[in-house]
Amino acid sequence: MTEEKVQKLRLTPSQTVGPYLSLGLLREDWSELVSPDHPQAIRIEGTLYDGAGDPVTDGLVEIWQAAPSGRYDHPTDDREDLPLEEGFHGFGRSGTVDGGRFSFVTLKPGPVPGPEGTTQAPHIMVAVFARGLLKQLITRIYFEDEAEANAGDPVLRSIADERMRNTLIAHREGGNLYRFDIRLQGEGQTAFFKLSE
Amino acid sequence: MLVPQEDEIEQPPYLYPDYVGTRLRAPKEPLIILPKTLSDVTGPVYGHHRPGELDNDLTRQHEGEPQGQKIIVHGRVLDGDGRPVRNTLVEIWQANAAGRYRHKVDQHPAPIDPNFSGAGRTLTDDDGYYRFVTIKPGAYPWQNHYNAWRPAHIHFSLFGRAFRSRLVTQMYFPGDPLFYQDPIFNSVRDEKARERMISTFDLDATIPEEALGFRFDIVLEGRYATPFERPHA
């Protein structure tokens, strides 16, 4: 074992949010990342399903994304030539107490750098929490109307299984509305990720 | 020798059949490895969302005092290299002293405390330090298995510096006799890792004639190297 390993502090283990997460995590509505009146606002709606096909009504979906310029509102992203939207921070949180449904009003993110000089297609990072999930599940939302960018996206390209890949695509349902359902388990299970170290 | 990866025993699995709730919710398809990118080494900075003055004192959010034993829960939020995680949002929620959540789904026949909502939040300071004043939560029954009781616990939610450091966990109390039969606690298979979820009694933080102190330090994923080269103009 290297010296560096010995000095590392071990991470605190994850535990489920349990069925009462709304007490602590849904006291305020953080599902609108911008005003619905914003001229570029899009709406993302979906339902969280379990392995029996039933809606999960005690879950939580969180999103994190870049601004339309492709820049993240975070000190690590120092590409100051790319503008940030005033008041847009890129984080959203929606409970699924309403029949398993979650929704966000946000802006479509721009493309962001990927590994080894690649460019990632516009996408939103998603974390799912619920009773019965001992740790969060990570997935991504891509956009149906970004076919060209999606075709070059390093993450989508790494998924050989077409069905799995397609679970990451939000479908445009007219106007500014996109649908993105999440299936935790079963035939149509959503593709979930493990973050590499 | 094949050594199991640390996250296989120090973090719970998705499927842990003893915890019945995992059976229909754990994904069965294998997880896809996601390369480290700017998308997950950045994350929400919630400093602009200042918690209110009484948000970290759950005993002063109502007209009267809540029932039960007053406690101080405090500690530091650190990364894996021991550096403080500053200015990060810590959110908690819990049952009252009788083991009842103020939630319509909780039908456990224990009294609701009109002076206790059971939710709090605060930001860590420059040393990564946080502090809550609250009531020691009671154990409560649930229907996972015959005679199943959750050990007393407080739910914690933390952001850290990046999307990948996001953590939801539970803080337990030292010496709880209910640990051995609780599948949520025991889903973490490594004993030392389980111990990291148990607070320690802290006489220094204890307030004479008023409140018992418990210390709970939390370690999140660490600082990250920039995972991409700046595009050439």
Side-chain angles (χ1 to χ4, degrees), chain B residues 10-217:
Chain B
E10 295 190 15
Q11 294 289 339
Y14 286 107
L15 180 64
Y16 190 74
D18 286 355
Y19 172 21
V20 174
T22 67
R23 294 179 192 172
L24 279 174
R25 295 189 171 188
K28 295 221 166 135
E29 303 282 346
L31 301 191
I32 296 157
I33 303 291
L34 188 65
K36 189 181 276 187
T37 73
L38 195 57
S39 305
D40 58 283
V41 302
T42 54
V45 179
Y46 248 73
H48 62 276
H49 191 95
R50 309 297 304 187
E53 198 195 334
L54 292 181
D55 280 359
N56 68 347
D57 188 339
L58 287 69
T59 67
R60 290 168 62 208
Q61 295 171 349
H62 296 273
E63 198 71 9
E65 292 230 2
Q67 294 286 316
Q69 186 175 60
K70 198 166 170 178
I71 59 173
I72 309 298
V73 174
H74 74 136
R76 289 179 79 203
V77 182
L78 303 169
D79 70 16
D81 294 320
R83 288 177 291 231
V85 180
R86 302 186 170 96
N87 203 40
T88 198
L89 184 65
V90 182
E91 296 164 282
I92 64 169
W93 66 103
Q94 62 169 96
N96 68 23
R100 177 98 184 245
Y101 284 93
R102 195 160 167 151
H103 190 286
K104 63 181 190 303
V105 174
D106 187 356
Q107 296 298 319
H108 170 212
I112 288 172
D113 186 337
N115 291 315
F116 192 70
S117 302
R121 60 187 165 184
T122 192
L123 291 174
T124 56
D125 70 11
D126 280 350
D127 290 322
Y129 181 78
Y130 74 89
R131 183 176 185 270
F132 289 103
V133 182
T134 185
I135 293 293
K136 188 172 182 204
Y140 58 85
W142 61 312
Q143 294 175 347
N144 186 75
H145 54 277
Y146 175 69
N147 219 359
W149 293 76
R150 287 306 324 280
H153 62 277
I154 297 176
H155 294 269
F156 270 73
S157 165
L158 300 105
F159 284 102
R161 296 192 188 97
F163 182 82
R164 56 168 50 234
S165 61
R166 180 85 175 87
L167 177 73
V168 169
T169 189
Q170 299 179 21
M171 183 204 96
Y172 297 94
F173 291 86
D176 197 310
L178 294 166
F179 287 146
Y180 80 95
Q181 60 79 61
D182 182 54
I184 293 179
F185 178 74
N186 289 300
S187 67
V188 177
R189 286 150 292 177
D190 181 73
E191 185 183 352
K192 285 204 155 50
R194 283 200 298 275
E195 284 170 4
R196 293 199 286 274
M197 300 186 290
I198 305 174
S199 56
T200 52
F201 172 65
D202 186 349
L203 190 62
D204 290 336
T206 295
I207 304 173
E209 322 295 329
E210 186 179 333
L212 289 177
F214 290 92
R215 175 97 190 182
F216 184 51
D217 292 333

Side-chain angles (χ1 to χ4, degrees), chain A residues 109-171:
Chain A
V112 300
E116 291 161 15
T118 57
T119 299
Q120 302 186 75
H123 67 276
I124 295 175
M125 299 292 297
V126 179
V128 182
F129 303 83
R131 173 181 64 83
L133 285 181
L134 287 160
K135 42 187 183 182
Q136 60 185 297
L137 278 166
I138 307 294
T139 186
R140 281 185 170 203
I141 299 172
Y142 287 87
F143 298 89
E144 186 177 37
D145 48 7
E146 294 283 347
E148 197 181 323
N150 291 344
D153 180 82
V155 173
L156 288 175
R157 286 171 70 99
S158 75
I159 305 172
D161 182 337
E162 189 184 357
R163 189 204 69 75
M164 270 306 208
R165 201 165 57 235
N166 285 337
T167 66
L168 301 176
I169 312 289
H171 296 283

